[in-house]
mmCIF file of all heavy atoms in Angstrom:
data_model
loop_
_atom_site.group_PDB
_atom_site.id
_atom_site.type_symbol
_atom_site.label_atom_id
_atom_site.label_comp_id
_atom_site.label_asym_id
_atom_site.label_seq_id
_atom_site.Cartn_x
_atom_site.Cartn_y
_atom_site.Cartn_z
ATOM 1 N N LYS A 112 0.812 -1.220 0.000
ATOM 2 C CA LYS A 112 0.000 0.000 0.000
ATOM 3 C C LYS A 112 0.846 1.272 0.000
ATOM 4 O O LYS A 112 0.437 2.290 -0.550
ATOM 5 C CB LYS A 112 -0.970 0.001 1.172
ATOM 6 C CG LYS A 112 -2.065 -1.010 0.989
ATOM 7 C CD LYS A 112 -3.060 -0.992 2.110
ATOM 8 C CE LYS A 112 -4.054 -2.103 1.812
ATOM 9 N NZ LYS A 112 -5.111 -2.234 2.685
ATOM 10 N N LYS A 113 2.019 1.229 0.579
ATOM 11 C CA LYS A 113 2.852 2.434 0.585
ATOM 12 C C LYS A 113 3.500 2.687 -0.778
ATOM 13 O O LYS A 113 4.063 3.741 -1.012
ATOM 14 C CB LYS A 113 3.884 2.388 1.704
ATOM 15 C CG LYS A 113 4.875 1.270 1.613
ATOM 16 C CD LYS A 113 5.767 1.240 2.840
ATOM 17 C CE LYS A 113 6.591 -0.025 2.806
ATOM 18 N NZ LYS A 113 7.210 -0.328 4.052
ATOM 19 N N ASN A 114 3.402 1.729 -1.694
ATOM 20 C CA ASN A 114 3.926 1.888 -3.048
ATOM 21 C C ASN A 114 2.818 2.122 -4.075
ATOM 22 O O ASN A 114 3.026 1.926 -5.265
ATOM 23 C CB ASN A 114 4.736 0.650 -3.457
ATOM 24 C CG ASN A 114 6.006 0.508 -2.665
ATOM 25 O OD1 ASN A 114 6.589 1.495 -2.242
ATOM 26 N ND2 ASN A 114 6.427 -0.720 -2.440
ATOM 27 N N LEU A 115 1.629 2.540 -3.637
ATOM 28 C CA LEU A 115 0.482 2.716 -4.529
ATOM 29 C C LEU A 115 0.794 3.688 -5.668
ATOM 30 O O LEU A 115 0.498 3.404 -6.826
ATOM 31 C CB LEU A 115 -0.739 3.198 -3.741
ATOM 32 C CG LEU A 115 -2.031 3.309 -4.528
ATOM 33 C CD1 LEU A 115 -2.414 1.960 -5.134
ATOM 34 C CD2 LEU A 115 -3.162 3.815 -3.643
ATOM 35 N N HIS A 116 1.409 4.814 -5.357
ATOM 36 C CA HIS A 116 1.752 5.784 -6.407
ATOM 37 C C HIS A 116 2.745 5.172 -7.394
ATOM 38 O O HIS A 116 2.640 5.364 -8.598
ATOM 39 C CB HIS A 116 2.329 7.070 -5.799
ATOM 40 C CG HIS A 116 2.765 8.059 -6.823
ATOM 41 N ND1 HIS A 116 1.874 8.741 -7.627
ATOM 42 C CD2 HIS A 116 3.995 8.461 -7.213
ATOM 43 C CE1 HIS A 116 2.541 9.525 -8.454
ATOM 44 N NE2 HIS A 116 3.826 9.377 -8.224
ATOM 45 N N PHE A 117 3.696 4.402 -6.871
ATOM 46 C CA PHE A 117 4.688 3.728 -7.720
ATOM 47 C C PHE A 117 3.995 2.743 -8.654
ATOM 48 O O PHE A 117 4.288 2.687 -9.840
ATOM 49 C CB PHE A 117 5.708 3.019 -6.818
ATOM 50 C CG PHE A 117 6.801 2.302 -7.559
ATOM 51 C CD1 PHE A 117 7.760 3.006 -8.260
ATOM 52 C CD2 PHE A 117 6.870 0.918 -7.535
ATOM 53 C CE1 PHE A 117 8.771 2.345 -8.940
ATOM 54 C CE2 PHE A 117 7.880 0.250 -8.214
ATOM 55 C CZ PHE A 117 8.833 0.972 -8.915
ATOM 56 N N LYS A 118 3.027 1.982 -8.129
ATOM 57 C CA LYS A 118 2.280 1.008 -8.931
ATOM 58 C C LYS A 118 1.527 1.711 -10.054
ATOM 59 O O LYS A 118 1.566 1.284 -11.208
ATOM 60 C CB LYS A 118 1.309 0.229 -8.046
ATOM 61 C CG LYS A 118 0.483 -0.806 -8.796
ATOM 62 C CD LYS A 118 -0.434 -1.558 -7.842
ATOM 63 C CE LYS A 118 -1.205 -2.635 -8.557
ATOM 64 N NZ LYS A 118 -2.014 -3.436 -7.623
ATOM 65 N N GLU A 119 0.836 2.804 -9.741
ATOM 66 C CA GLU A 119 0.092 3.558 -10.753
ATOM 67 C C GLU A 119 1.032 4.128 -11.804
ATOM 68 O O GLU A 119 0.726 4.139 -12.993
ATOM 69 C CB GLU A 119 -0.716 4.670 -10.098
ATOM 70 C CG GLU A 119 -1.868 4.148 -9.272
ATOM 71 C CD GLU A 119 -2.524 5.215 -8.410
ATOM 72 O OE1 GLU A 119 -2.047 6.373 -8.404
ATOM 73 O OE2 GLU A 119 -3.510 4.883 -7.741
ATOM 74 N N SER A 120 2.190 4.575 -11.379
ATOM 75 C CA SER A 120 3.188 5.123 -12.298
ATOM 76 C C SER A 120 3.678 4.050 -13.273
ATOM 77 O O SER A 120 3.790 4.301 -14.475
ATOM 78 C CB SER A 120 4.372 5.691 -11.507
ATOM 79 O OG SER A 120 5.415 6.052 -12.366
ATOM 80 N N ILE A 121 3.924 2.860 -12.782
ATOM 81 C CA ILE A 121 4.383 1.756 -13.624
ATOM 82 C C ILE A 121 3.279 1.350 -14.595
ATOM 83 O O ILE A 121 3.514 1.183 -15.789
ATOM 84 C CB ILE A 121 4.821 0.551 -12.773
ATOM 85 C CG1 ILE A 121 6.119 0.877 -12.061
ATOM 86 C CG2 ILE A 121 4.989 -0.699 -13.625
ATOM 87 C CD1 ILE A 121 6.497 -0.107 -11.007
ATOM 88 N N GLN A 122 2.060 1.195 -14.088
ATOM 89 C CA GLN A 122 0.946 0.777 -14.938
ATOM 90 C C GLN A 122 0.699 1.772 -16.068
ATOM 91 O O GLN A 122 0.334 1.378 -17.164
ATOM 92 C CB GLN A 122 -0.321 0.589 -14.105
ATOM 93 C CG GLN A 122 -0.254 -0.643 -13.240
ATOM 94 C CD GLN A 122 -1.440 -0.762 -12.295
ATOM 95 O OE1 GLN A 122 -2.036 0.227 -11.893
ATOM 96 N NE2 GLN A 122 -1.764 -1.996 -11.945
ATOM 97 N N SER A 123 0.915 3.040 -15.826
ATOM 98 C CA SER A 123 0.691 4.050 -16.868
ATOM 99 C C SER A 123 1.764 3.989 -17.956
ATOM 100 O O SER A 123 1.588 4.562 -19.026
ATOM 101 C CB SER A 123 0.639 5.450 -16.253
ATOM 102 O OG SER A 123 1.924 5.855 -15.818
ATOM 103 N N ARG A 124 2.857 3.285 -17.704
ATOM 104 C CA ARG A 124 3.948 3.184 -18.678
ATOM 105 C C ARG A 124 3.905 1.886 -19.486
ATOM 106 O O ARG A 124 4.777 1.640 -20.311
ATOM 107 C CB ARG A 124 5.290 3.292 -17.945
ATOM 108 C CG ARG A 124 5.483 4.650 -17.300
ATOM 109 C CD ARG A 124 6.681 4.775 -16.387
ATOM 110 N NE ARG A 124 7.775 3.883 -16.638
ATOM 111 C CZ ARG A 124 8.591 3.438 -15.688
ATOM 112 N NH1 ARG A 124 8.398 3.771 -14.437
ATOM 113 N NH2 ARG A 124 9.587 2.639 -15.984
ATOM 114 N N ILE A 125 2.884 1.069 -19.241
ATOM 115 C CA ILE A 125 2.770 -0.225 -19.917
ATOM 116 C C ILE A 125 1.574 -0.216 -20.854
ATOM 117 O O ILE A 125 0.483 0.191 -20.482
ATOM 118 C CB ILE A 125 2.620 -1.372 -18.890
ATOM 119 C CG1 ILE A 125 3.856 -1.447 -17.996
ATOM 120 C CG2 ILE A 125 2.372 -2.705 -19.599
ATOM 121 C CD1 ILE A 125 3.717 -2.427 -16.837
ATOM 122 N N SER A 126 1.793 -0.669 -22.085
ATOM 123 C CA SER A 126 0.714 -0.881 -23.045
ATOM 124 C C SER A 126 0.624 -2.377 -23.300
ATOM 125 O O SER A 126 1.644 -3.042 -23.451
ATOM 126 C CB SER A 126 1.025 -0.157 -24.354
ATOM 127 O OG SER A 126 0.147 0.894 -24.574
ATOM 128 N N HIS A 127 -0.592 -2.890 -23.375
ATOM 129 C CA HIS A 127 -0.792 -4.333 -23.483
ATOM 130 C C HIS A 127 -1.808 -4.640 -24.567
ATOM 131 O O HIS A 127 -2.842 -3.980 -24.651
ATOM 132 C CB HIS A 127 -1.284 -4.862 -22.123
ATOM 133 C CG HIS A 127 -1.681 -6.284 -22.145
ATOM 134 N ND1 HIS A 127 -2.988 -6.693 -22.016
ATOM 135 C CD2 HIS A 127 -0.956 -7.425 -22.284
ATOM 136 C CE1 HIS A 127 -3.046 -8.011 -22.060
ATOM 137 N NE2 HIS A 127 -1.832 -8.477 -22.230
ATOM 138 N N VAL A 128 -1.495 -5.624 -25.399
ATOM 139 C CA VAL A 128 -2.446 -6.109 -26.398
ATOM 140 C C VAL A 128 -2.730 -7.572 -26.064
ATOM 141 O O VAL A 128 -1.859 -8.421 -26.210
ATOM 142 C CB VAL A 128 -1.895 -6.005 -27.840
ATOM 143 C CG1 VAL A 128 -2.978 -6.428 -28.834
ATOM 144 C CG2 VAL A 128 -1.383 -4.618 -28.148
ATOM 145 N N PRO A 129 -3.952 -7.857 -25.604
ATOM 146 C CA PRO A 129 -4.292 -9.247 -25.296
ATOM 147 C C PRO A 129 -4.649 -10.014 -26.565
ATOM 148 O O PRO A 129 -4.845 -9.419 -27.625
ATOM 149 C CB PRO A 129 -5.514 -9.109 -24.389
ATOM 150 C CG PRO A 129 -6.168 -7.844 -24.859
ATOM 151 C CD PRO A 129 -5.037 -6.938 -25.291
ATOM 152 N N HIS A 130 -4.758 -11.308 -26.435
ATOM 153 C CA HIS A 130 -5.157 -12.168 -27.548
ATOM 154 C C HIS A 130 -6.541 -11.768 -28.064
ATOM 155 O O HIS A 130 -6.772 -11.655 -29.254
ATOM 156 C CB HIS A 130 -5.150 -13.631 -27.096
ATOM 157 C CG HIS A 130 -5.787 -14.572 -28.059
ATOM 158 N ND1 HIS A 130 -5.212 -14.885 -29.268
ATOM 159 C CD2 HIS A 130 -6.952 -15.247 -28.008
ATOM 160 C CE1 HIS A 130 -6.009 -15.721 -29.908
ATOM 161 N NE2 HIS A 130 -7.075 -15.953 -29.168
ATOM 162 N N SER A 131 -7.455 -11.553 -27.146
ATOM 163 C CA SER A 131 -8.818 -11.187 -27.506
ATOM 164 C C SER A 131 -9.037 -9.720 -27.152
ATOM 165 O O SER A 131 -9.068 -9.358 -25.977
ATOM 166 C CB SER A 131 -9.798 -12.083 -26.745
ATOM 167 O OG SER A 131 -11.115 -11.757 -27.096
ATOM 168 N N VAL A 132 -9.188 -8.877 -28.151
ATOM 169 C CA VAL A 132 -9.297 -7.431 -27.967
ATOM 170 C C VAL A 132 -10.767 -7.039 -27.805
ATOM 171 O O VAL A 132 -11.614 -7.453 -28.589
ATOM 172 C CB VAL A 132 -8.687 -6.696 -29.184
ATOM 173 C CG1 VAL A 132 -8.891 -5.194 -29.082
ATOM 174 C CG2 VAL A 132 -7.214 -7.033 -29.329
ATOM 175 N N PHE A 133 -11.050 -6.230 -26.791
ATOM 176 C CA PHE A 133 -12.399 -5.688 -26.617
ATOM 177 C C PHE A 133 -12.521 -4.404 -27.437
ATOM 178 O O PHE A 133 -11.661 -3.535 -27.380
ATOM 179 C CB PHE A 133 -12.685 -5.361 -25.146
ATOM 180 C CG PHE A 133 -13.939 -4.531 -24.981
ATOM 181 C CD1 PHE A 133 -15.181 -5.127 -25.058
ATOM 182 C CD2 PHE A 133 -13.861 -3.162 -24.805
ATOM 183 C CE1 PHE A 133 -16.344 -4.367 -24.938
ATOM 184 C CE2 PHE A 133 -15.015 -2.394 -24.692
ATOM 185 C CZ PHE A 133 -16.258 -2.997 -24.761
ATOM 186 N N LEU A 134 -13.591 -4.288 -28.203
ATOM 187 C CA LEU A 134 -13.891 -3.054 -28.919
ATOM 188 C C LEU A 134 -15.266 -2.570 -28.483
ATOM 189 O O LEU A 134 -16.196 -3.358 -28.331
ATOM 190 C CB LEU A 134 -13.879 -3.275 -30.434
ATOM 191 C CG LEU A 134 -12.553 -3.702 -31.060
ATOM 192 C CD1 LEU A 134 -12.705 -3.861 -32.570
ATOM 193 C CD2 LEU A 134 -11.445 -2.724 -30.743
ATOM 194 N N SER A 135 -15.375 -1.257 -28.288
ATOM 195 C CA SER A 135 -16.682 -0.688 -27.934
ATOM 196 C C SER A 135 -17.454 -0.397 -29.213
ATOM 197 O O SER A 135 -16.866 -0.257 -30.291
ATOM 198 C CB SER A 135 -16.504 0.586 -27.102
ATOM 199 O OG SER A 135 -15.867 1.585 -27.856
ATOM 200 N N ASN A 136 -18.737 -0.290 -29.107
ATOM 201 C CA ASN A 136 -19.610 -0.071 -30.257
ATOM 202 C C ASN A 136 -19.563 1.403 -30.671
ATOM 203 O O ASN A 136 -20.563 2.120 -30.595
ATOM 204 C CB ASN A 136 -21.039 -0.516 -29.926
ATOM 205 C CG ASN A 136 -21.930 -0.539 -31.150
ATOM 206 O OD1 ASN A 136 -21.459 -0.437 -32.276
ATOM 207 N ND2 ASN A 136 -23.224 -0.662 -30.933
ATOM 208 N N THR A 137 -18.362 1.828 -31.069
ATOM 209 C CA THR A 137 -18.144 3.206 -31.519
ATOM 210 C C THR A 137 -17.366 3.141 -32.833
ATOM 211 O O THR A 137 -17.342 2.121 -33.496
ATOM 212 C CB THR A 137 -17.378 4.023 -30.461
ATOM 213 O OG1 THR A 137 -16.113 3.383 -30.211
ATOM 214 C CG2 THR A 137 -18.141 4.126 -29.154
ATOM 215 N N THR A 138 -16.699 4.226 -33.160
ATOM 216 C CA THR A 138 -15.949 4.286 -34.414
ATOM 217 C C THR A 138 -14.565 3.658 -34.262
ATOM 218 O O THR A 138 -14.088 3.439 -33.150
ATOM 219 C CB THR A 138 -15.768 5.747 -34.874
ATOM 220 O OG1 THR A 138 -14.937 6.425 -33.916
ATOM 221 C CG2 THR A 138 -17.101 6.458 -35.025
ATOM 222 N N ILE A 139 -13.954 3.421 -35.396
ATOM 223 C CA ILE A 139 -12.592 2.873 -35.393
ATOM 224 C C ILE A 139 -11.643 3.831 -34.696
ATOM 225 O O ILE A 139 -10.853 3.421 -33.839
ATOM 226 C CB ILE A 139 -12.133 2.558 -36.832
ATOM 227 C CG1 ILE A 139 -12.946 1.369 -37.372
ATOM 228 C CG2 ILE A 139 -10.631 2.276 -36.883
ATOM 229 C CD1 ILE A 139 -12.775 1.076 -38.831
ATOM 230 N N LYS A 140 -11.734 5.130 -35.020
ATOM 231 C CA LYS A 140 -10.808 6.090 -34.404
ATOM 232 C C LYS A 140 -11.013 6.174 -32.892
ATOM 233 O O LYS A 140 -10.051 6.300 -32.142
ATOM 234 C CB LYS A 140 -10.895 7.459 -35.062
ATOM 235 C CG LYS A 140 -12.172 8.204 -34.834
ATOM 236 C CD LYS A 140 -12.180 9.533 -35.587
ATOM 237 C CE LYS A 140 -13.484 10.278 -35.367
ATOM 238 N NZ LYS A 140 -13.566 11.469 -36.201
ATOM 239 N N GLU A 141 -12.267 6.059 -32.426
ATOM 240 C CA GLU A 141 -12.523 6.097 -30.987
ATOM 241 C C GLU A 141 -12.021 4.825 -30.301
ATOM 242 O O GLU A 141 -11.622 4.864 -29.141
ATOM 243 C CB GLU A 141 -14.016 6.302 -30.712
ATOM 244 C CG GLU A 141 -14.480 7.701 -31.077
ATOM 245 C CD GLU A 141 -15.990 7.852 -31.076
ATOM 246 O OE1 GLU A 141 -16.689 6.930 -31.577
ATOM 247 O OE2 GLU A 141 -16.469 8.886 -30.581
ATOM 248 N N ASN A 142 -12.022 3.708 -31.007
ATOM 249 C CA ASN A 142 -11.473 2.473 -30.445
ATOM 250 C C ASN A 142 -9.955 2.506 -30.403
ATOM 251 O O ASN A 142 -9.354 1.926 -29.507
ATOM 252 C CB ASN A 142 -11.979 1.260 -31.218
ATOM 253 C CG ASN A 142 -13.293 0.763 -30.678
ATOM 254 O OD1 ASN A 142 -13.335 0.159 -29.611
ATOM 255 N ND2 ASN A 142 -14.375 1.044 -31.380
ATOM 256 N N ILE A 143 -9.332 3.177 -31.356
ATOM 257 C CA ILE A 143 -7.870 3.305 -31.319
ATOM 258 C C ILE A 143 -7.453 4.231 -30.177
ATOM 259 O O ILE A 143 -6.546 3.920 -29.415
ATOM 260 C CB ILE A 143 -7.324 3.800 -32.675
ATOM 261 C CG1 ILE A 143 -7.487 2.695 -33.733
ATOM 262 C CG2 ILE A 143 -5.858 4.225 -32.553
ATOM 263 C CD1 ILE A 143 -7.134 3.111 -35.149
ATOM 264 N N ALA A 144 -8.132 5.356 -30.051
ATOM 265 C CA ALA A 144 -7.828 6.333 -28.992
ATOM 266 C C ALA A 144 -8.755 6.089 -27.804
ATOM 267 O O ALA A 144 -9.325 7.020 -27.240
ATOM 268 C CB ALA A 144 -7.990 7.736 -29.538
ATOM 269 N N PHE A 145 -8.890 4.847 -27.423
ATOM 270 C CA PHE A 145 -9.848 4.390 -26.410
ATOM 271 C C PHE A 145 -9.766 5.224 -25.133
ATOM 272 O O PHE A 145 -8.698 5.419 -24.572
ATOM 273 C CB PHE A 145 -9.558 2.926 -26.088
ATOM 274 C CG PHE A 145 -10.671 2.222 -25.387
ATOM 275 C CD1 PHE A 145 -11.843 1.918 -26.049
ATOM 276 C CD2 PHE A 145 -10.547 1.850 -24.062
ATOM 277 C CE1 PHE A 145 -12.875 1.249 -25.413
ATOM 278 C CE2 PHE A 145 -11.566 1.178 -23.409
ATOM 279 C CZ PHE A 145 -12.735 0.885 -24.090
ATOM 280 N N GLY A 146 -10.913 5.751 -24.714
ATOM 281 C CA GLY A 146 -10.967 6.510 -23.468
ATOM 282 C C GLY A 146 -10.784 8.007 -23.627
ATOM 283 O O GLY A 146 -10.994 8.761 -22.686
ATOM 284 N N GLU A 147 -10.375 8.437 -24.793
ATOM 285 C CA GLU A 147 -10.210 9.870 -25.046
ATOM 286 C C GLU A 147 -11.498 10.443 -25.600
ATOM 287 O O GLU A 147 -12.197 9.779 -26.354
ATOM 288 C CB GLU A 147 -9.086 10.119 -26.058
ATOM 289 C CG GLU A 147 -7.787 10.466 -25.401
ATOM 290 C CD GLU A 147 -6.735 10.919 -26.402
ATOM 291 O OE1 GLU A 147 -6.994 11.859 -27.185
ATOM 292 O OE2 GLU A 147 -5.663 10.323 -26.380
ATOM 293 N N LYS A 148 -11.781 11.679 -25.261
ATOM 294 C CA LYS A 148 -12.954 12.357 -25.815
ATOM 295 C C LYS A 148 -12.710 12.637 -27.295
ATOM 296 O O LYS A 148 -11.590 12.935 -27.704
ATOM 297 C CB LYS A 148 -13.211 13.656 -25.070
ATOM 298 C CG LYS A 148 -13.599 13.460 -23.614
ATOM 299 C CD LYS A 148 -14.030 14.777 -23.026
ATOM 300 C CE LYS A 148 -14.311 14.740 -21.561
ATOM 301 N NZ LYS A 148 -15.045 13.712 -21.005
ATOM 302 N N SER A 149 -13.752 12.525 -28.104
ATOM 303 C CA SER A 149 -13.648 12.697 -29.560
ATOM 304 C C SER A 149 -12.950 13.991 -29.956
ATOM 305 O O SER A 149 -12.165 14.019 -30.893
ATOM 306 C CB SER A 149 -15.029 12.652 -30.209
ATOM 307 O OG SER A 149 -15.542 11.350 -30.135
ATOM 308 N N LYS A 150 -13.214 15.061 -29.230
ATOM 309 C CA LYS A 150 -12.613 16.351 -29.595
ATOM 310 C C LYS A 150 -11.112 16.400 -29.308
ATOM 311 O O LYS A 150 -10.416 17.244 -29.844
ATOM 312 C CB LYS A 150 -13.325 17.493 -28.874
ATOM 313 C CG LYS A 150 -13.193 17.461 -27.372
ATOM 314 C CD LYS A 150 -13.937 18.596 -26.723
ATOM 315 C CE LYS A 150 -13.721 18.528 -25.212
ATOM 316 N NZ LYS A 150 -14.385 19.592 -24.517
ATOM 317 N N ASN A 151 -10.604 15.466 -28.484
ATOM 318 C CA ASN A 151 -9.182 15.461 -28.128
ATOM 319 C C ASN A 151 -8.346 14.458 -28.925
ATOM 320 O O ASN A 151 -7.159 14.321 -28.679
ATOM 321 C CB ASN A 151 -9.013 15.147 -26.632
ATOM 322 C CG ASN A 151 -9.633 16.198 -25.749
ATOM 323 O OD1 ASN A 151 -9.763 17.354 -26.135
ATOM 324 N ND2 ASN A 151 -10.032 15.799 -24.562
ATOM 325 N N LEU A 152 -8.961 13.754 -29.871
ATOM 326 C CA LEU A 152 -8.233 12.718 -30.595
ATOM 327 C C LEU A 152 -7.093 13.318 -31.412
ATOM 328 O O LEU A 152 -7.249 14.343 -32.064
ATOM 329 C CB LEU A 152 -9.179 11.946 -31.518
ATOM 330 C CG LEU A 152 -10.364 11.247 -30.861
ATOM 331 C CD1 LEU A 152 -11.160 10.486 -31.903
ATOM 332 C CD2 LEU A 152 -9.919 10.332 -29.757
ATOM 333 N N ASN A 153 -5.957 12.645 -31.371
ATOM 334 C CA ASN A 153 -4.782 13.067 -32.130
ATOM 335 C C ASN A 153 -4.803 12.335 -33.472
ATOM 336 O O ASN A 153 -4.357 11.192 -33.576
ATOM 337 C CB ASN A 153 -3.522 12.748 -31.326
ATOM 338 C CG ASN A 153 -2.254 13.180 -32.014
ATOM 339 O OD1 ASN A 153 -2.193 13.315 -33.232
ATOM 340 N ND2 ASN A 153 -1.216 13.391 -31.218
ATOM 341 N N LYS A 154 -5.346 12.991 -34.499
ATOM 342 C CA LYS A 154 -5.530 12.374 -35.819
ATOM 343 C C LYS A 154 -4.197 11.906 -36.417
ATOM 344 O O LYS A 154 -4.120 10.829 -37.000
ATOM 345 C CB LYS A 154 -6.240 13.372 -36.748
ATOM 346 C CG LYS A 154 -6.492 12.847 -38.144
ATOM 347 C CD LYS A 154 -7.559 11.774 -38.182
ATOM 348 C CE LYS A 154 -7.933 11.444 -39.609
ATOM 349 N NZ LYS A 154 -7.790 10.086 -39.987
ATOM 350 N N LYS A 155 -3.145 12.696 -36.257
ATOM 351 C CA LYS A 155 -1.827 12.297 -36.783
ATOM 352 C C LYS A 155 -1.347 11.003 -36.133
ATOM 353 O O LYS A 155 -0.837 10.114 -36.796
ATOM 354 C CB LYS A 155 -0.790 13.404 -36.532
ATOM 355 C CG LYS A 155 -0.716 14.457 -37.580
ATOM 356 C CD LYS A 155 0.375 15.437 -37.204
ATOM 357 C CE LYS A 155 1.186 15.800 -38.410
ATOM 358 N NZ LYS A 155 2.165 16.854 -38.109
ATOM 359 N N ARG A 156 -1.530 10.918 -34.836
ATOM 360 C CA ARG A 156 -1.100 9.726 -34.101
ATOM 361 C C ARG A 156 -1.951 8.524 -34.513
ATOM 362 O O ARG A 156 -1.432 7.423 -34.697
ATOM 363 C CB ARG A 156 -1.212 9.986 -32.589
ATOM 364 C CG ARG A 156 -0.739 8.854 -31.722
ATOM 365 C CD ARG A 156 0.725 8.919 -31.484
ATOM 366 N NE ARG A 156 1.133 7.876 -30.543
ATOM 367 C CZ ARG A 156 2.370 7.651 -30.199
ATOM 368 N NH1 ARG A 156 3.326 8.408 -30.666
ATOM 369 N NH2 ARG A 156 2.674 6.692 -29.372
ATOM 370 N N ILE A 157 -3.262 8.716 -34.675
ATOM 371 C CA ILE A 157 -4.144 7.639 -35.120
ATOM 372 C C ILE A 157 -3.702 7.131 -36.482
ATOM 373 O O ILE A 157 -3.595 5.924 -36.698
ATOM 374 C CB ILE A 157 -5.620 8.106 -35.154
ATOM 375 C CG1 ILE A 157 -6.138 8.289 -33.728
ATOM 376 C CG2 ILE A 157 -6.490 7.103 -35.914
ATOM 377 C CD1 ILE A 157 -7.497 8.953 -33.640
#
C-alpha cells in the first residue's frame, strides 16, 4: 500500500495487447484512442 503511487506510475507506462481485444460499439478512431474524448483525438497519431 505504501507503493500505490509507484504502482500507478508503472501501470501508466505499460501498453498491453491481449489475444482477444475488446472493442466498444463506436468508431474505429474512438477504439484506437480508447478513453479519449472525440474532440481530443490526435488524428496524426491515429
Side-chain angles (χ1 to χ4, degrees):
K112 289 182 183 183
K113 62 185 171 195
N114 292 330
L115 185 59
H116 177 69
F117 181 69
K118 180 179 183 175
E119 291 169 357
S120 172
I121 289 169
Q122 288 174 332
S123 71
R124 295 171 25 210
I125 298 172
S126 247
H127 173 249
V128 184
H130 169 70
S131 181
V132 175
F133 168 78
L134 297 181
S135 64
N136 190 12
T137 59
T138 66
I139 291 171
K140 68 183 179 187
E141 290 169 318
N142 273 286
I143 290 173
F145 197 71
E147 263 189 55
K148 295 188 186 315
S149 290
K150 64 181 182 179
N151 297 334
L152 301 182
N153 181 336
K154 180 71 171 123
K155 273 182 137 174
R156 183 86 175 176
I157 289 171

